[in-house]
Amino acid sequence: MSEDTIFHKIIRREIPAEVVYEDEHLIAFRDIAPQAPVHVLFVPKETLATLNDLPDDRPEIVGRLAVAAARYAKAQGLAEKGYRIVMNCNPDAGQTVYQLHLHLLAGAPLGRFGTPG
Ligand code: 5GP
C-alpha cells in the first residue's frame, strides 16, 4: 500500500495544510479546492487507499472519521442547518487521492448529487 500520497505528506507535515483537528487516529484539514463554504477532509493516519480496503473487523476507522466530522460541524455551528459527508471510492466516484478520506461539506444549501456524468 502506498504511503506516498499527498495526504501522507500532510500527516507527516512535509507539506502545509490548514489543519483544524488532529488526534492519534486522524487528521482534518481544509480542502485546497473547496466545493462549499466549508470543505474539510478527515483522513485516518492508518494507510488505506479506498473504502474497499477497510478491513471487516475495523469499522472504527470510518466511525472515527464520521464522529470527528459531526463533532466539528457542531462546534462550528453548522450542524443545525446541515452538512454532507462524502467518501469517493475509485474512478467512477471521482476519487483522486488514494488515501481514504471523508469530505465534510457545509455552509450553504448544497446541490443534488449522484447523477452520472
Ligand atoms: P477525492 O476526489 O479523492 O475524493 O478528494 C480529494 C480532495 O483532496 C479534493 O477535493 C482535492 O481538492 C483535495 N486536495 C488535493 N490535493 C490537496 C492538497 O495538497 N491539499 C489539500 N488541503 N487538499 C488537497
Side-chain angles (χ1 to χ4, degrees), residues 6-7 10 15-18 29-35 39 41 87-88 93-98 101 103:
I6 199 97
F7 292 171
I10 288 172
I15 64 164
E18 265 191 77
F29 51 88
R30 295 193 192 284
D31 196 291
I32 204 168
Q35 303 299 306
H39 188 171
L41 302 171
M87 297 182 85
N88 294 320
Q95 186 173 2
T96 57
V97 179
Y98 280 81
H101 54 279
H103 298 253

Side-chain angles (χ1 to χ4, degrees), residues 20-83:
V20 300
Y21 177 75
E22 183 171 19
D23 64 25
E24 62 191 304
H25 301 294
L26 66 97
I27 189 167
F29 51 88
R30 295 193 192 284
D31 196 291
I32 204 168
Q35 303 299 306
V38 176
H39 188 171
V40 175
L41 302 171
F42 292 79
V43 183
K45 293 187 174 176
E46 203 162 317
T47 295
L48 290 171
T50 82
L51 189 58
N52 292 334
D53 302 304
L54 182 70
D56 288 353
D57 61 349
R58 300 292 313 284
E60 73 277 11
I61 296 173
V62 169
R64 285 191 189 105
L65 303 181
V67 167
R71 197 187 297 139
Y72 179 80
K74 288 175 199 162
Q76 296 299 309
L78 300 162
E80 194 77 11
K81 280 199 163 182
Y83 55 89

